[in-house]
Amino acid sequence: VVVTPNTRVRLVLKNDDDMAHNLVVTRPNSRLRVVEFALGLGDKGPAQHYVPQMDDVLAHTHSAEPGDADTLTLRVGDGAFPFVCTYPG
């Protein structure tokens, strides 16, 4: 996805898979660190939708079960903003 810097972006995660997913947008160069923290959530994972509470997470959806959808909105600056699903599995 390419957008003009300082644009407000709305992303819709529509889950057509057979397992839950989320969508996490991270600061540049921090995707792997966010994934590592998400894997370390342990018992707190489900309550946090497997999204670690850290500054490297810019926006995220909740966990979307199969057939469900969720939306996130954020304003992006200049640069590349990685995204990832941090739901285990």
Side-chain angles (χ1 to χ4, degrees), residues 12-48:
V12 178
L13 170 67
K14 182 179 177 199
N15 187 0
D16 291 327
D17 200 4
D18 60 357
M19 66 176 280
H21 289 283
N22 65 14
L23 178 63
V24 181
V25 179
T26 73
R27 291 188 187 281
N29 303 312
S30 63
R31 184 178 63 85
L32 292 178
R33 185 172 44 251
V34 170
V35 169
E36 288 173 7
F37 275 79
L39 291 172
L41 287 174
D43 293 341
K44 297 178 190 174
Q48 292 181 218

